[in-house]
Amino acid sequence: MRTRTTAAAVTGAALLLALVACDPTTESKPSATSSNQPAGLTAKSAAASLADATGVKTLGDPKDNTAGCSQKAAGEEPHANDCTQLITTDTVSIYEFETSAVAAHWVKRLEKQQDWRQVDRFALAWGARDQDLTSDERRDELTKALEALVAKE
Protein backbone atom coordinates (compact mmCIF):
# COMPACT_ATOMS: atom_id res chain seq x y z
CA MET A 1 0.00 0.00 0.00
CA ARG A 2 2.87 2.35 0.83
CA THR A 3 4.29 1.73 -2.66
CA ARG A 4 1.05 2.83 -4.33
CA THR A 5 0.86 6.00 -2.22
CA THR A 6 4.48 6.82 -2.93
CA ALA A 7 4.05 6.14 -6.65
CA ALA A 8 1.00 8.40 -6.80
CA ALA A 9 2.85 11.15 -4.92
CA VAL A 10 5.87 10.88 -7.23
CA THR A 11 3.61 10.96 -10.29
CA GLY A 12 1.81 14.04 -8.94
CA ALA A 13 5.09 15.78 -8.21
CA ALA A 14 6.38 14.96 -11.69
CA LEU A 15 3.23 16.41 -13.24
CA LEU A 16 3.56 19.63 -11.22
CA LEU A 17 7.22 19.88 -12.24
CA ALA A 18 6.24 19.40 -15.89
CA LEU A 19 3.60 22.11 -15.54
CA VAL A 20 6.04 24.61 -14.04
CA ALA A 21 8.60 23.78 -16.73
CA CYS A 22 6.11 24.30 -19.57
CA ASP A 23 7.41 26.14 -22.58
CA PRO A 24 5.82 29.62 -22.47
CA THR A 25 5.51 29.67 -26.26
CA THR A 26 2.84 26.97 -26.04
CA GLU A 27 0.61 28.96 -23.71
CA SER A 28 -2.96 29.40 -24.76
CA LYS A 29 -5.19 32.30 -23.88
CA PRO A 30 -5.65 32.71 -20.13
CA SER A 31 -8.59 30.81 -18.75
CA ALA A 32 -10.09 33.67 -16.75
CA THR A 33 -13.54 32.71 -17.93
CA SER A 34 -14.96 29.33 -18.59
CA SER A 35 -17.19 30.54 -21.41
CA ASN A 36 -14.91 28.75 -23.89
CA GLN A 37 -15.35 25.53 -21.93
CA PRO A 38 -17.99 23.35 -23.53
CA ALA A 39 -20.89 22.58 -21.23
CA GLY A 40 -21.54 19.01 -20.34
CA LEU A 41 -18.77 16.46 -20.24
CA THR A 42 -16.17 16.90 -17.50
CA ALA A 43 -13.43 14.58 -16.30
CA LYS A 44 -15.67 13.62 -13.37
CA SER A 45 -18.71 12.84 -15.52
CA ALA A 46 -16.45 11.09 -18.05
CA ALA A 47 -15.20 8.73 -15.32
CA ALA A 48 -18.75 7.65 -14.52
CA SER A 49 -19.71 7.41 -18.19
CA LEU A 50 -16.59 5.41 -19.09
CA ALA A 51 -17.35 2.93 -16.33
CA ASP A 52 -20.88 2.52 -17.65
CA ALA A 53 -19.70 2.28 -21.28
CA THR A 54 -17.22 -0.46 -20.40
CA GLY A 55 -19.68 -2.47 -18.29
CA VAL A 56 -18.42 -1.76 -14.77
CA LYS A 57 -19.91 0.16 -11.85
CA THR A 58 -16.78 2.23 -11.27
CA LEU A 59 -13.27 2.61 -12.64
CA GLY A 60 -12.04 2.15 -9.07
CA ASP A 61 -11.96 4.71 -6.26
CA PRO A 62 -12.26 7.98 -8.23
CA LYS A 63 -10.47 10.92 -6.60
CA ASP A 64 -10.33 14.55 -7.65
CA ASN A 65 -6.62 15.34 -7.93
CA THR A 66 -6.96 18.58 -9.88
CA ALA A 67 -4.45 20.33 -7.61
CA GLY A 68 -1.80 17.99 -9.08
CA CYS A 69 -2.07 19.55 -12.55
CA SER A 70 -3.52 22.99 -11.87
CA GLN A 71 -1.59 25.73 -10.18
CA LYS A 72 -4.89 27.57 -9.68
CA ALA A 73 -6.45 24.56 -7.92
CA ALA A 74 -3.30 24.26 -5.79
CA GLY A 75 -3.76 27.86 -4.65
CA GLU A 76 -1.01 29.28 -6.86
CA GLU A 77 -1.03 31.74 -9.73
CA PRO A 78 -3.07 30.25 -12.63
CA HIS A 79 -1.13 29.06 -15.67
CA ALA A 80 -2.36 28.78 -19.26
CA ASN A 81 -1.48 25.07 -19.25
CA ASP A 82 -3.42 24.24 -16.08
CA CYS A 83 -5.82 21.35 -16.26
CA THR A 84 -9.48 22.07 -15.63
CA GLN A 85 -10.02 18.82 -13.75
CA LEU A 86 -8.15 15.59 -12.98
CA ILE A 87 -9.95 12.46 -11.82
CA THR A 88 -7.65 9.61 -10.86
CA THR A 89 -9.03 6.07 -10.58
CA ASP A 90 -7.45 2.65 -10.16
CA THR A 91 -7.95 2.10 -13.91
CA VAL A 92 -7.05 5.42 -15.55
CA SER A 93 -6.41 9.12 -14.90
CA ILE A 94 -8.73 11.44 -16.81
CA TYR A 95 -7.41 14.94 -17.42
CA GLU A 96 -9.65 17.70 -18.72
CA PHE A 97 -8.14 20.83 -20.24
CA GLU A 98 -9.51 24.14 -21.47
CA THR A 99 -8.67 23.32 -25.09
CA SER A 100 -7.47 20.44 -27.22
CA ALA A 101 -4.24 22.39 -27.85
CA VAL A 102 -3.41 22.35 -24.14
CA ALA A 103 -4.27 18.63 -23.97
CA ALA A 104 -1.95 17.99 -26.93
CA HIS A 105 0.82 19.93 -25.18
CA TRP A 106 0.56 17.72 -22.08
CA VAL A 107 0.35 14.47 -24.04
CA LYS A 108 3.37 15.39 -26.15
CA ARG A 109 5.45 16.24 -23.07
CA LEU A 110 4.46 13.24 -20.95
CA GLU A 111 3.76 10.35 -23.33
CA LYS A 112 7.46 9.47 -23.30
CA GLN A 113 7.23 8.70 -19.57
CA GLN A 114 4.00 6.67 -19.61
CA ASP A 115 0.99 5.83 -21.77
CA TRP A 116 -0.92 9.06 -22.50
CA ARG A 117 -3.70 9.37 -25.09
CA GLN A 118 -5.45 12.53 -26.22
CA VAL A 119 -9.16 12.70 -26.98
CA ASP A 120 -10.07 16.27 -27.91
CA ARG A 121 -9.60 18.42 -24.77
CA PHE A 122 -9.15 15.31 -22.58
CA ALA A 123 -6.15 13.10 -21.94
CA LEU A 124 -6.14 9.59 -20.55
CA ALA A 125 -3.04 8.45 -18.69
CA TRP A 126 -1.89 5.28 -16.99
CA GLY A 127 0.85 6.02 -14.48
CA ALA A 128 -0.64 6.15 -10.98
CA ARG A 129 -2.06 3.64 -8.51
CA ASP A 130 -2.76 0.22 -10.09
CA GLN A 131 -3.17 1.67 -13.59
CA ASP A 132 -0.21 -0.30 -14.92
CA LEU A 133 -2.44 -3.38 -14.51
CA THR A 134 -4.90 -1.98 -17.06
CA SER A 135 -4.49 -4.07 -20.23
CA ASP A 136 -3.79 -2.52 -23.62
CA GLU A 137 -7.19 -3.79 -24.79
CA ARG A 138 -8.94 -2.02 -21.89
CA ARG A 139 -6.96 1.16 -22.59
CA ASP A 140 -8.10 1.04 -26.22
CA GLU A 141 -11.69 0.43 -25.08
CA LEU A 142 -11.58 3.42 -22.70
CA THR A 143 -10.08 5.65 -25.40
CA LYS A 144 -12.78 4.68 -27.92
CA ALA A 145 -15.53 5.14 -25.32
CA LEU A 146 -14.24 8.64 -24.52
CA GLU A 147 -14.10 9.46 -28.23
CA ALA A 148 -17.78 8.45 -28.48
CA LEU A 149 -18.69 10.58 -25.45
CA VAL A 150 -16.90 13.63 -26.85
CA ALA A 151 -18.59 13.13 -30.23
CA LYS A 152 -22.00 13.29 -28.51
CA GLU A 153 -21.27 16.69 -26.98
Side-chain angles (χ1 to χ4, degrees), residues 22 26 28 81 95-112 116-124:
C22 287
T26 63
S28 62
N81 289 333
Y95 292 78
E96 177 187 2
F97 299 98
E98 181 91 14
T99 67
S100 60
V102 176
H105 170 77
W106 276 78
V107 170
K108 181 179 177 185
R109 291 181 69 87
L110 297 170
E111 69 183 347
K112 296 173 185 119
W116 278 68
R117 301 178 188 189
Q118 181 186 355
V119 177
D120 194 52
R121 70 180 194 284
F122 294 92
L124 300 177

Side-chain angles (χ1 to χ4, degrees), residues 10-20 68-69 86 95 106 110 113-114 116:
V10 169
T11 300
L15 291 174
L16 267 177
L17 180 59
L19 176 63
V20 172
C69 64
L86 166 58
Y95 292 78
W106 276 78
L110 297 170
Q113 298 171 3
Q114 55 196 231
W116 278 68

